Amino acid sequence: MTDMLDIRRPDDWHLHLRDGAMLSAVAPHSAGFGRAIIMPNLVPPVVTGAQAAAYHDRILAALPKGAPLQPQMTLYLTDGTDPADVIAAHRDGIIRAVKLYPAGATTNSASGVTDFDRVRPVLEAMAEAGVPLCVHGEVTDPSVDIFDREAVFIDRVLDPIRRATPGLRVVMEHITTSDGVAYARSGGDDLGATITTHHLVINRNAILAGGIRPHYYCLPVAKRESHRLALRDAATSGEARFFLGTDSAPHTDAAKLQPCGCAGCFTAPNTMSILAHVFEEDGALDRLEAFTSLNGAAFYGLPANADRIRLTKRDVPARYPTSITAGDESVTVFDPGFPLYWHLED
Ligand code: NCD
Ligand code: ZN
């Protein structure tokens, strides 16, 4: 039985760090990752290279001294994004990717794209320069059932964009369905997909059965069990197209516990312990490193991190806080619903 894992330092290819007091509170919990793609959905969003550079510096200031984390910045694509600014920010090493939110799809996405034809020149310039597009893959059409929004997005939006923009490198962010898994598998080297920690653990019953549990509500919303199993199969497959993007998305409890509460699960503190548990359960511990530390870097054309981390399985569960404090407020940590015997060593 394996009770020790020594793997390359993991990366998080989809992370929300927020700003201000929340940034100070949550950044230390992701500080042990090597690189993280930082989501730009601040209020107001990060839309220019100059804003991304300033946000990068605020993140560095919020990290503990000597922390490994190297934030990889993104720009928030809007109908008004200037292709020249995107290309210059990428060329100058300020940004790693551009994020596409359909307007209104999720938290702080009001400035997102309303008309995909308007961003065509940006996408073409990105394809030319090799700038990856990270996509929040849900339609916002109110007539489409929320559980179908990912599958419909693939047909109506994603596939047409990819066909119209050959060479565009696309990351399907936080896929939640077997349709997402199948579409990712249908692509070549130019198509990747991130999978979150929580979507490997919960299905929609966790949110809705036996009482409503706002801390399990995130977007895209967790789907039925067959989809969770498809995600487990993809993540543990070792296939290069699938890699970790935690989508750790902290909100204060006050904002979550509302008649209309925010979407997001805060998984940064216990992600690696949960993933080791999941991969062991599926007999795939030997493929954890590919998912957390190798595949994403390769997709982004970066070397794997040179240093390593160690996870040890012990008889007593690892202890994680049930919540952390941000300013005067509390933020609940994702509860996987089982004890975590895999300890992340310092
Ligand atoms: C994210 C957030 O809170 O910013 N929420 C979420 O449920 N995942 C936005 C997002 O990634 O959709
Ligand atoms: Zn997200």
Side-chain angles (χ1 to χ4, degrees):
M1 202 188 82
T2 313
D3 54 13
M4 209 268 285
L5 275 173
D6 191 289
I7 60 173
R8 298 279 191 146
R9 186 177 294 286
D11 299 308
D12 184 349
W13 300 103
H14 181 132
L15 177 64
H16 298 269
L17 287 179
R18 317 299 192 200
D19 216 342
M22 184 67 94
L23 169 61
S24 306
V26 302
H29 293 279
S30 292
F33 284 88
R35 286 138 319 183
I37 287 270
I38 308 299
M39 288 296 128
N41 62 332
L42 304 182
V43 188
V46 179
V47 293
T48 65
Q51 288 169 340
Y55 185 30
H56 178 264
D57 292 348
R58 296 200 295 282
I59 294 170
L60 290 189
L63 286 169
K65 269 206 166 28
L69 189 73
Q70 295 173 268
Q72 310 287 301
M73 308 312 290
T74 57
L75 291 185
Y76 185 120
L77 186 62
T78 72
D79 290 352
T81 297
D82 174 7
D85 184 53
V86 170
I87 301 309
H90 186 256
R91 183 199 58 218
D92 296 346
I94 296 168
I95 62 155
R96 180 68 63 196
V98 170
K99 176 73 189 228
L100 185 159
Y101 290 102
T106 186
T107 310
N108 304 335
S109 62
S111 320
V113 174
T114 61
D115 178 350
F116 292 94
D117 283 338
R118 291 204 202 153
V119 295
R120 172 134 308 287
V122 186
L123 300 182
E124 275 162 14
M126 287 168 58
E128 171 93 27
V131 186
L133 180 71
C134 297
V135 178
H136 183 108
E138 289 189 288
V139 290
T140 53
D141 180 345
S143 72
V144 178
D145 189 277
I146 189 163
F147 292 103
D148 298 332
R149 288 181 181 190
E150 181 171 297
V152 172
F153 181 88
I154 291 169
D155 290 346
R156 277 197 204 162
V157 183
L158 182 58
D159 194 57
I161 285 181
R162 291 188 59 244
R163 282 178 195 279
T165 328
L168 181 65
R169 299 183 66 69
V170 172
V171 184
M172 301 171 68
E173 300 281 81
H174 44 48
I175 55 170
T176 59
T177 59
S178 55
D179 313 74
V181 169
Y183 188 77
R185 283 186 167 138
S186 77
D189 291 352
D190 56 349
L191 186 61
T194 58
I195 301 176
T196 76
T197 307
H198 48 284
H199 287 115
L200 296 173
V201 174
I202 59 165
N203 63 28
R204 63 197 195 180
N205 284 4
I207 314 166
L208 297 170
I212 188 154
R213 291 186 180 74
H215 294 302
Y216 291 133
Y217 172 62
C218 65
L219 287 171
V221 71
K223 310 296 191 299
R224 64 169 65 244
E225 178 66 357
S226 57
H227 293 296
R228 185 185 74 95
L229 294 177
L231 298 174
R232 293 271 289 231
D233 178 74
T236 59
S237 69
E239 285 167 56
R241 67 187 97 244
F242 298 116
F243 39 93
L244 175 64
T246 65
D247 194 17
S248 181
H251 291 278
T252 64
D253 289 333
K256 294 273 310 169
L257 307 176
Q258 287 279 336
C260 183
C262 293
C265 297
F266 177 49
T267 55
N270 51 10
T271 273
M272 288 308 296
S273 291
I274 296 173
L275 290 173
H277 177 105
V278 162
F279 276 65
E280 181 179 44
E281 212 165 63
D282 287 4
L285 273 180
D286 57 332
R287 294 194 281 270
L288 179 65
E289 184 181 43
F291 181 66
T292 62
S293 318
L294 305 178
N295 296 349
F299 180 89
Y300 279 99
L302 299 168
N305 293 306
D307 56 346
R308 309 178 77 82
I309 60 150
R310 177 171 293 186
L311 289 148
T312 312
K313 191 174 184 190
R314 300 187 194 281
D315 296 335
V316 285
R319 290 161 69 103
Y320 289 100
T322 52
S323 71
I324 66 159
T325 304
D328 300 332
E329 310 234 41
S330 59
V331 179
T332 295
V333 176
F334 178 75
D335 174 7
F338 44 75
L340 296 169
Y341 294 105
W342 285 96
H343 295 238
L344 180 61
E345 309 294 347
D346 304 317

